[in-house]
Every structure is written in C-alpha cells, then in structure tokens.
Amino acid sequence: MRPQDFYTSETSIRFARRLWVKWLRAAAEEILSGAQKAIEEMDESQVETMIQLLLGAKDKKIFVVGMGRSGFVGRAFALRLMNLSFDVYFLGETITPAAGEEDLVIAISGTGMTKLVISAASAAKEIGAKVVAITSYKESQLGQMADQLVLVKGRTKMGWPREEDYLARQILGEREPISPLGSIFENNCMVFLDGLIVELMYRMKKNENDLRSRHATIE
Amino acid sequence: MRPQDFYTSETSIRFARRLWVKWLRAAAEEILSGAQKAIEEMDESQVETMIQLLLGAKDKKIFVVGMGRSGFVGRAFALRLMNLSFDVYFLGETITPAAGEEDLVIAISGTGMTKLVISAASAAKEIGAKVVAITSYKESQLGQMADQLVLVKGRTKMGWPREEDYLARQILGEREPISPLGSIFENNCMVFLDGLIVELMYRMKKNENDLRSRHATIE
Amino acid sequence: MRPQDFYTSETSIRFARRLWVKWLRAAAEEILSGAQKAIEEMDESQVETMIQLLLGAKDKKIFVVGMGRSGFVGRAFALRLMNLSFDVYFLGETITPAAGEEDLVIAISGTGMTKLVISAASAAKEIGAKVVAITSYKESQLGQMADQLVLVKGRTKMGWPREEDYLARQILGEREPISPLGSIFENNCMVFLDGLIVELMYRMKKNENDLRSRHATIE
Amino acid sequence: MRPQDFYTSETSIRFARRLWVKWLRAAAEEILSGAQKAIEEMDESQVETMIQLLLGAKDKKIFVVGMGRSGFVGRAFALRLMNLSFDVYFLGETITPAAGEEDLVIAISGTGMTKLVISAASAAKEIGAKVVAITSYKESQLGQMADQLVLVKGRTKMGWPREEDYLARQILGEREPISPLGSIFENNCMVFLDGLIVELMYRMKKNENDLRSRHATIE
C-alpha cells in the first residue's frame, strides 16, 4: 500500500493526523496525569493550614510573589483572591503597599531557589509577616524559611546551573527546561490554586452570583 | 460514636482532612477531566493548520494577544515560542514592533468577544497578517474573522452582561465567573499550548539541550 | 584651517563635541522651556479642584489610567499617591478592584481620544465615580465627559490618522510622533504631577520622614 | 482689609489661587531648573560615546533595565529606540531574548546600587556585552563596572538604609524619597533621553514621516 492510497479516505486522513500531533497528545496526557497525581499526593494538613492562614488574613494584606511562569500562575491566583474580596497584591506591579505584621505572603517557586522570591520572603519575615511557600523542594532555602510549606511536586532538579537573579537569567538566556516536565510544576500549581479558590468560596459561603453582582462593588 | 472519638486516630484525622478540602479535590478533578475531554475533542486538522502556520512564520513575526487570565496563558505560550527561537511578541508589552504582511497573530479569547483582542485581530487582517483564533465559540466575532479557528472548549456562555473594553470591565468590576467552570477555558488552553510546544519541538528537531546551551545564544 | 588642526586642542574638541550633540541640547531646551510655559499657563482653578477631589478621595479609591508614555507618567504618579497613603490603583495591572460611587478616576490622554481611556472613563461615570481628565484638548471626547478638566498643553493635533485601540495601534505600527514635540505632553504632565505631589504633601502636612518611617507601615 | 474683601475681585482670587498651589509651582520650578543644570553639566564625551555605542548596536540587540520610576523612564526610552528601528528589549517583560557578545545594555539607576540592575549588568558583562550606566554616582558599583558611564546628576545619597532587592523593598515599604529632590534624577533622565532620541534621529537622518509611514512597517 502506497502512502497516497493510505491517505485517500477521510478516516485514514484522520488517523494520519492523529499521528501528526501525537507529541501534543502524549505531552497533554503526561501533564494531566502528572497533575492528578500531584494533587492526590498533596499533604492535606499543609493545605488546611494554608487555608486557615488565608481566611485569617481576611482583614490583612496578602502578597503573592513568583517569577516567570510561576508569576503568571501567581497573578491568576491573586486575581481570584481579589474576586473573593481579599486585599491582595502581586509583588512587582506598580502599586504595592508595604507589608505589616501578620500580613501574609504566598511565595511560589518550583525550585525554591529563585533569588527575588527568597529575598522578598525574607524581608516579609523580618517585618513579622507570615510566609507560605509553594515549592517542589522542602529542603530548599524558600522551603526552609517559610512559616508554612505547601509541597507541590513537579519541578525537576535539573534547574539552573547556578543561582541568578531573574533579570540576569534573562540576559544570560538561561531558561527553564521546556519539555512537558519543565512545565509540570506550574501546571500543577494552577490546578491546585484554582481548586483552592473553590474551596475558599465554599468556606466563605460565597457563590458566583454574589461575586458578580455589581451592587456589591458600589456599596 | 462521638466526634472526639472519631478524631483520635491518625487515620480518621487523615479522613477528616480529606473531607475538609473536598471542594478543592472536586474542583481539581473537574478541571483535569474537563481538560482531558477538551483535548480529545479538538479538531486535529485545525491544530495541524495552526502548526503549519507557526512553522511557516519561522522567519516572520508572531504576536500573541489575550486579556486577563487568557493573557497569562498567552504570555506563558509566547515565552515558550521564544525559547524555540521564534520571533514572538505579546501585545500590550512595551516593546512591540508593527506587524507586517504574512506575520502571524495568535488571538486567545474564550468568548471570542473580548473587544481589545478583536480590534487587534482586525487591525492585523487589514495589514495582511494571518490570524489564528483560539476560542470556545466558532460563531463569535473573533471566530468568524480568523484565518484559522482552533476550538478549545470550556468557556461558558454566561460570560458578560454586555461587551466592554477590558479596562472598563475592571472599573465596573464585571469579572469572569470564578467557579471551576469559569477557569476551564484557560486551563484547557494551557494544557493544549504546552502540548503544542512539545509537538513543535519534535517537528523542529530541537531538544532541551539545544535550547539550554548558552553558546547558542552568544553566537 | 584644516579639520585636523581644528581638533588639536582640548578646547576645540570640547567645542566640536558641543556641536556633535547640538540636537540633544536643542531638544532638551525645547522640552524644558515648553514645560515651564505649560505649567505657567495652567488654570489654577482647575488644579485646585483636582486637589480638592484628591483630598476628598482620601477614604475612597483612586484609579489612574493612561496608555503608552502617558501610562508610564500615570504609573509614576500612582506610585507617589500610594506613598502619600492614598488607596490608588493603575488600570490594566493585575490587581484592580471595582470602582464605586464617589471613587475618583484620573484619566491621562494628550489627544483626549485614546479609546481605552475613554471607555474606562465612561464606565466610571456610569457607576457614579468622578472623572478628572488631564489632556491638551478641552473639546476632545475625554475633555467633554470629565467632571473636571485639567488642561496641560503640549500634545499636537497631528496625532492619529484615525482612532484605534492601543493594541490595534501596536499591530499597525502607528506610533506617537517622536520629535521633541511628540513627547512634550508627557514631559509636561510629569513635571505637573510631580509638583502636585509636593503640593498635596504640604496640604496633608506630611513630610518625607513620615513617609519613609517603617514603623508607619507596620502599624 | 478683611479676607472677604481680599477675595472680591477676579484678580485677587487669581492671586489667592496662585498662593494655594504655590508648592506645586515651587516644585515645578525646582524640577525644571534642576534639569537644565543637569543637562548643561553633562560630560559630552560620555554622551558621544553612548551615541556611538547605540549607533554601533544597530544590528545588535539593545537591552534597557531599570526599576521603579527609573524603569518607567527606561521603558519610554526603549519605546523610542524601537520607533527608530533598533532591536530593543526592556528587561523584566515577558519577551526578552538572551544577550550575546557585543550586544548593548543600558542600565539606569540613580544610586547605582539597585541590586537587580547590578546583577543584570554583571551578567551582561560576563557574556561579553557592553554596559552603559546612567547614574548619579560614578563611584557606585554600577558606575564602576560599566564600560561607559553617563553621569546624570540628581539622585541624592540619602537613598536606602541598605541595599535590597526591589521586591524586598516593596515588602518593606522602603520607597524613594518623594520630595522634588527625590524625583529629580528620573526627571533629568527623561529630558536627557528624549533629547538623545532627537540627536539619534538626526544622526540617522530619519524624520518623523519615515517613522510614521506604515509602508515601512509592512515591507
């Protein structure tokens, strides 16, 4: 059977296409099963403590910090917290007030070694704020300094040849690995944090209608 | 059996904890199974055409555009494309050159109704650039104007009381729904686009070592 | 006298250099004298009303909005307002709460025709918030809709071939004019708004030490 | 003469208003005369070398870096360089390729002590790129490491109690001084860099029409 025969029917074209994007499918599969496993393996007491810290910070300020892809995930989480009427900020944006005692910092770093995130977390601790670290490495500098660790698997160690500031890494072109493995921490975090928002929503007895009502925002 | 009895053993505490974060688990489950279904149902010929357009734009400029959470997903995708040495830009950042004929615009909008995304896409078409629309709605304005539609399910119609610019929506406080349903389009996109990067990597015969090598960036 | 003779002494080299960067000097001169004239010609009752609106919004939210270079000037102003402990936001950043009645929007647009700024201002008015327009054109759409106009000269009419969204303009490559004239509105605004911060500081009896004290931020 | 008498005529109201915003006027005066003096005192050979480095990087990549208000000024400068068709990037934005040998980094820091800027500059040097430092302090770490120093007066030493990363400073609430003095470096830089763009424009024989022509961007 020659290739041209093979591609004559709609079915076989569809089959061939399936082959064409097989890497996409394989990667998506790996991402999704990885995320499922990561969520299952999370330590619920860590998550519960993080929830209590968030609920306890209802009248305090919450700061989210992360760089690169962890930063995008962090921003999406911060947006949702704001929708739940938390007083939340993303570090590095123009408008960020100073932190105070008992404020809460959510620091996201797969390796737990991102310098900017570590220095922000350590400034926060100095001032008396609480730090929750979301990382794949308990023993990392970020993991060790945090008041509460939340382990999310997925970040491979291969990481960085050495510790560098984020802007220095941009200059040097040392990027995160781009295999599916390289994204798994951020994907796992996104699923975890989206789920966490739903959990918070139920705990706070909010529902979507409350949140979407404009009257709420005017008063 | 009284509650205090129930919580005496480590097992039952673990069980109780599982109950505590049950909404998180349910939401994560819904996100992941939704994403799996969305990827399975994608039209491979749409994806294949998008891949060909991307590969064909290797010596052209690629522009990614999206607002809010779609913007975060778009930025993460743009980062990866840059790692694969595409000449890519994210609209709205400081540095964005003008588009030209045959350049490529990747427009991401779940509803296909985001005004800024539509006006950017329509400016691109006018100039002779190609537009790929990633949306849940084929019949939306964005879906209709695109040169190539890539349907990613997940965005519910409930959407917006009316069309508004993004900054106007910030002022009005009309946000996207925050249930797991409300995030599903962006989550599905993230999995799809991460998978797409892996597919591109194989098609272009890049592997991670190539990408991480610093020598490559110096020459 | 031959060129080589001309350039033998330190003095003449210095003189030659002065010629070399003569356009820089001429442009700087034009920017500075233009700014001085613009500030002198400002209508003080407009400025005074803006000050009263700002002071009256001490317990309200303040939103600053502007695109491109006006956006950078707006962000710098927002930063300073935050330092003076106003509750201020820059539209378009991740974290922006909804506006409410009696909140204040500071909209910056030289032409008064920037679509995103206009749609944000009009959403604000609809909700009952007050809008201050900083623009060169009283008769522009933004100037007409504002509760308070603050005229800052400097933006030339040559402006845009047509009205477009900011992202569409990025795609089309239609940029602001880059002669010194083209920057004068933003430069004038920067001087005006920096001066306004000092004025507010005195009215509010703040001094720098108050603002820099860390204790203030902890309590 | 009683106050009510004083305020009866239009003239005296105007006079009173002048008193009301006297701090604004004084600050604007200080900013503008400070900027004029700073530009006059600039070392033209430093400026000329910077111009030559920029012109020499026409086929190379240019990276601009700065934090906070210096970042806004840097972004405005980067925008203008892009309009002049330089291949320019602002560090910290999503899309930033790796630097290579002979690329150019323009680092802006009044104190010359901003850690992120220093680490980016030092990464650039390591890779063989050239660094231009725009700072008020020749003897600062940034000033010392740069291939070319461009002194712009205006930043007072009072600066920071200690060196900190930018995000850590956001957390700590240690901000730049907000008196007119505190802004003078950034204002001076804005005037200098806007003037520099005009100088480059003449050197490159560009005029506004070239830059605004859309055909140029399509081909």
Side-chain angles (χ1 to χ4, degrees):
Chain A
M1 188 172 151
R2 294 160 309 165
Q4 57 268 42
D5 296 333
F6 187 78
Y7 291 112
T8 43
S9 72
E10 182 53 28
T11 319
S12 49
I13 286 171
R14 197 165 290 269
F15 177 68
R17 271 180 200 139
R18 187 166 300 264
L19 289 180
W20 291 343
V21 298
K22 71 176 171 183
W23 298 111
L24 189 164
R25 289 189 180 282
E29 194 61 42
E30 191 176 343
I31 291 166
L32 291 170
S33 62
Q36 186 158 22
K37 197 156 166 291
I39 299 291
E40 268 164 21
E41 287 176 0
M42 286 187 72
D43 181 328
E44 292 190 332
S45 68
Q46 291 177 354
V47 177
E48 184 60 34
T49 309
M50 177 177 176
I51 292 171
Q52 296 307 329
L53 286 168
L54 282 165
L55 294 174
K58 205 72 194 66
D59 303 317
K60 300 282 174 178
K61 289 193 284 284
I62 299 175
F63 299 85
V64 180
V65 60
M67 302 303 290
R69 282 173 66 101
S70 292
F72 301 139
V73 169
R75 254 179 270 247
F77 181 54
L79 248 178
R80 292 299 194 218
L81 286 179
M82 186 192 66
N83 293 158
L84 290 171
S85 2
F86 285 94
D87 188 17
V88 66
Y89 300 91
F90 186 81
L91 279 181
E93 302 234 315
T94 305
I95 298 305
T96 312
E101 238 175 318
E102 291 174 55
D103 283 346
L104 186 60
V105 172
I106 311 290
I108 308 174
S109 165
T111 59
M113 280 166 50
T114 314
K115 267 174 86 175
L116 270 170
V117 174
I118 290 169
S119 72
S122 112
K125 291 217 54 165
E126 190 182 316
I127 232 170
K130 291 252 176 304
V131 174
V132 172
I134 303 180
T135 178
S136 292
Y137 294 99
K138 181 183 177 172
E139 71 280 10
S140 66
Q141 206 180 331
L142 182 65
Q144 289 300 307
M145 73 162 46
D147 295 287
Q148 178 60 46
L149 178 79
V150 178
L151 271 182
V152 176
K153 294 207 177 145
R155 192 64 170 80
T156 50
K157 258 286 177 44
M158 33 203 296
W160 308 108
R162 49 177 185 171
E163 247 182 87
E164 282 289 358
D165 275 346
Y166 188 72
L167 299 190
R169 284 202 321 230
Q170 283 197 327
I171 282 281
L172 295 172
E174 285 166 358
R175 313 279 176 182
E176 300 162 58
I178 75 156
S179 75
L181 280 173
S183 302
I184 272 181
F185 172 73
E186 290 88 3
N187 285 307
N188 295 356
C189 270
M190 196 163 175
V191 175
F192 161 55
L193 294 170
D194 276 349
L196 189 60
I197 289 294
V198 177
E199 182 78 32
L200 287 170
M201 219 163 76
Y202 279 98
R203 304 261 186 131
M204 296 162 73
K205 309 246 180 296
K206 294 244 172 199
N207 64 44
E208 272 190 47
N209 279 350
D210 290 341
L211 294 164
R212 287 164 57 77
S213 136
R214 196 157 89 215
H215 292 288
T217 71
I218 295 184
E219 280 137 37
Chain B
M1 189 172 154
R2 298 160 307 166
Q4 56 270 41
D5 296 333
F6 187 77
Y7 291 111
T8 44
S9 72
E10 181 55 28
T11 319
S12 50
I13 286 172
R14 196 166 292 265
F15 177 70
R17 271 180 199 142
R18 186 166 302 262
L19 289 180
W20 291 342
V21 296
K22 71 175 170 184
W23 297 110
L24 189 164
R25 291 190 178 280
E29 194 61 43
E30 190 176 345
I31 290 166
L32 291 170
S33 62
Q36 185 158 24
K37 198 154 167 291
I39 299 290
E40 269 165 19
E41 286 177 359
M42 285 187 73
D43 181 328
E44 291 190 332
S45 68
Q46 292 178 353
V47 177
E48 183 61 32
T49 308
M50 178 177 176
I51 292 171
Q52 295 307 328
L53 286 167
L54 282 165
L55 294 175
K58 205 70 193 66
D59 303 318
K60 300 281 173 181
K61 291 193 282 284
I62 298 175
F63 299 85
V64 181
V65 60
M67 302 305 291
R69 283 173 67 102
S70 292
F72 301 139
V73 169
R75 255 178 270 248
F77 181 54
L79 249 178
R80 292 300 194 217
L81 285 179
M82 188 193 64
N83 293 158
L84 289 172
S85 3
F86 285 94
D87 188 18
V88 66
Y89 300 91
F90 187 81
L91 280 181
E93 302 233 316
T94 305
I95 297 305
T96 312
E101 240 176 314
E102 294 173 52
D103 282 347
L104 187 61
V105 172
I106 311 288
I108 308 174
S109 166
T111 60
M113 280 167 49
T114 314
K115 265 174 89 176
L116 270 170
V117 175
I118 290 169
S119 72
S122 111
K125 291 218 54 166
E126 189 183 317
I127 233 171
K130 292 253 174 303
V131 174
V132 172
I134 302 180
T135 177
S136 292
Y137 294 101
K138 180 184 177 171
E139 71 281 7
S140 66
Q141 206 180 334
L142 182 65
Q144 289 299 308
M145 74 161 45
D147 295 287
Q148 179 60 45
L149 178 79
V150 177
L151 273 182
V152 176
K153 294 208 177 144
R155 192 63 170 80
T156 49
K157 258 287 178 42
M158 34 201 296
W160 309 107
R162 52 177 181 169
E163 248 182 86
E164 281 289 359
D165 276 346
Y166 187 73
L167 300 190
R169 285 202 320 231
Q170 283 196 327
I171 281 282
L172 295 171
E174 284 167 359
R175 313 278 177 182
E176 301 163 56
I178 75 156
S179 75
L181 279 173
S183 302
I184 272 182
F185 172 74
E186 290 87 5
N187 285 308
N188 295 356
C189 270
M190 197 164 174
V191 174
F192 161 54
L193 293 171
D194 276 349
L196 189 60
I197 289 293
V198 176
E199 182 77 31
L200 286 170
M201 219 163 78
Y202 279 99
R203 304 260 186 133
M204 296 162 73
K205 309 244 180 297
K206 296 242 174 201
N207 64 43
E208 272 190 49
N209 279 350
D210 291 340
L211 295 163
R212 287 165 58 75
S213 138
R214 195 157 91 216
H215 292 289
T217 71
I218 296 184
E219 281 137 37
Chain C
M1 186 172 156
R2 296 160 306 166
Q4 57 269 42
D5 296 335
F6 187 77
Y7 291 112
T8 43
S9 71
E10 182 55 28
T11 320
S12 50
I13 286 171
R14 197 165 290 267
F15 177 69
R17 272 181 199 138
R18 185 166 301 264
L19 290 180
W20 291 342
V21 297
K22 72 175 172 185
W23 297 111
L24 189 163
R25 291 190 178 280
E29 194 61 43
E30 192 177 343
I31 291 166
L32 292 170
S33 62
Q36 186 158 22
K37 197 155 167 290
I39 299 291
E40 269 164 19
E41 287 176 0
M42 285 187 73
D43 181 327
E44 291 189 332
S45 69
Q46 291 177 354
V47 177
E48 183 59 34
T49 308
M50 179 177 174
I51 292 171
Q52 296 308 328
L53 286 168
L54 282 165
L55 294 174
K58 204 74 194 64
D59 303 317
K60 300 283 174 180
K61 288 193 284 284
I62 298 176
F63 299 85
V64 181
V65 60
M67 302 304 292
R69 282 172 67 101
S70 292
F72 301 139
V73 170
R75 256 178 269 248
F77 181 54
L79 247 178
R80 292 300 194 218
L81 286 179
M82 186 194 65
N83 292 157
L84 289 171
S85 2
F86 285 94
D87 188 18
V88 65
Y89 300 90
F90 186 80
L91 279 183
E93 301 232 316
T94 305
I95 297 305
T96 312
E101 240 175 316
E102 293 174 53
D103 282 346
L104 186 61
V105 173
I106 311 289
I108 308 174
S109 165
T111 60
M113 279 167 49
T114 314
K115 267 174 85 174
L116 270 171
V117 175
I118 290 169
S119 72
S122 113
K125 291 219 53 166
E126 190 182 317
I127 232 170
K130 292 252 176 302
V131 174
V132 172
I134 303 180
T135 177
S136 292
Y137 294 100
K138 180 184 177 170
E139 71 281 9
S140 66
Q141 207 181 331
L142 183 65
Q144 290 300 307
M145 74 161 45
D147 295 288
Q148 179 61 44
L149 177 80
V150 178
L151 272 182
V152 176
K153 293 206 177 145
R155 192 63 169 81
T156 50
K157 257 287 175 43
M158 33 203 297
W160 307 109
R162 49 176 184 168
E163 247 182 86
E164 282 290 357
D165 275 345
Y166 187 73
L167 299 190
R169 285 202 321 231
Q170 283 196 327
I171 281 282
L172 294 171
E174 285 166 358
R175 313 277 176 181
E176 301 162 57
I178 75 158
S179 75
L181 280 173
S183 302
I184 273 182
F185 172 73
E186 290 87 4
N187 285 307
N188 295 355
C189 270
M190 197 163 172
V191 175
F192 161 55
L193 294 171
D194 275 350
L196 189 60
I197 288 293
V198 177
E199 182 78 32
L200 287 170
M201 219 163 77
Y202 280 97
R203 305 261 186 130
M204 296 162 71
K205 311 245 179 295
K206 295 245 171 195
N207 64 43
E208 270 189 50
N209 279 349
D210 290 341
L211 294 164
R212 288 164 56 74
S213 135
R214 196 157 90 215
H215 293 289
T217 71
I218 294 183
E219 279 138 37
Chain D
M1 188 172 154
R2 297 159 306 166
Q4 57 269 41
D5 296 332
F6 187 77
Y7 291 112
T8 45
S9 72
E10 182 55 28
T11 319
S12 49
I13 286 171
R14 196 165 291 266
F15 177 69
R17 272 182 199 140
R18 187 166 300 264
L19 291 179
W20 291 343
V21 297
K22 71 176 171 184
W23 298 110
L24 189 163
R25 290 190 179 280
E29 195 61 44
E30 190 177 344
I31 290 166
L32 291 170
S33 61
Q36 186 158 24
K37 197 154 166 293
I39 299 290
E40 269 164 19
E41 287 176 359
M42 286 188 72
D43 181 329
E44 291 189 332
S45 68
Q46 291 177 354
V47 177
E48 183 60 33
T49 308
M50 179 177 175
I51 292 172
Q52 296 307 329
L53 286 168
L54 282 165
L55 294 175
K58 205 72 193 66
D59 303 317
K60 300 281 174 181
K61 290 193 284 283
I62 298 176
F63 299 86
V64 181
V65 60
M67 301 306 290
R69 282 173 67 101
S70 292
F72 300 140
V73 169
R75 254 179 270 249
F77 181 54
L79 247 178
R80 292 301 195 217
L81 285 180
M82 187 193 64
N83 293 159
L84 290 171
S85 358
F86 285 94
D87 188 18
V88 66
Y89 300 91
F90 187 80
L91 280 182
E93 300 233 317
T94 306
I95 298 304
T96 312
E101 239 176 317
E102 294 173 52
D103 282 346
L104 187 60
V105 172
I106 310 289
I108 307 174
S109 165
T111 59
M113 280 166 49
T114 315
K115 264 173 88 176
L116 268 172
V117 175
I118 290 168
S119 72
S122 111
K125 291 217 55 165
E126 189 182 316
I127 232 172
K130 293 251 174 305
V131 174
V132 172
I134 302 180
T135 178
S136 292
Y137 295 100
K138 181 184 176 169
E139 70 282 7
S140 66
Q141 205 181 333
L142 183 64
Q144 289 300 307
M145 73 160 47
D147 295 287
Q148 179 60 44
L149 177 80
V150 177
L151 272 182
V152 176
K153 294 205 177 146
R155 192 62 170 82
T156 49
K157 258 286 177 45
M158 34 203 295
W160 309 108
R162 50 175 184 171
E163 247 182 87
E164 280 290 357
D165 276 346
Y166 187 74
L167 300 190
R169 286 202 321 231
Q170 282 197 328
I171 282 281
L172 295 171
E174 284 166 359
R175 314 280 176 180
E176 302 162 56
I178 75 156
S179 75
L181 280 174
S183 302
I184 272 182
F185 172 74
E186 290 88 4
N187 285 307
N188 295 356
C189 270
M190 196 163 175
V191 175
F192 161 55
L193 294 172
D194 275 349
L196 190 59
I197 288 293
V198 177
E199 182 78 31
L200 286 171
M201 219 162 77
Y202 279 99
R203 304 262 185 130
M204 297 162 71
K205 310 244 181 296
K206 294 244 173 199
N207 64 43
E208 271 189 51
N209 279 349
D210 290 341
L211 294 164
R212 287 166 57 75
S213 138
R214 196 157 89 215
H215 292 289
T217 70
I218 296 184
E219 281 138 36

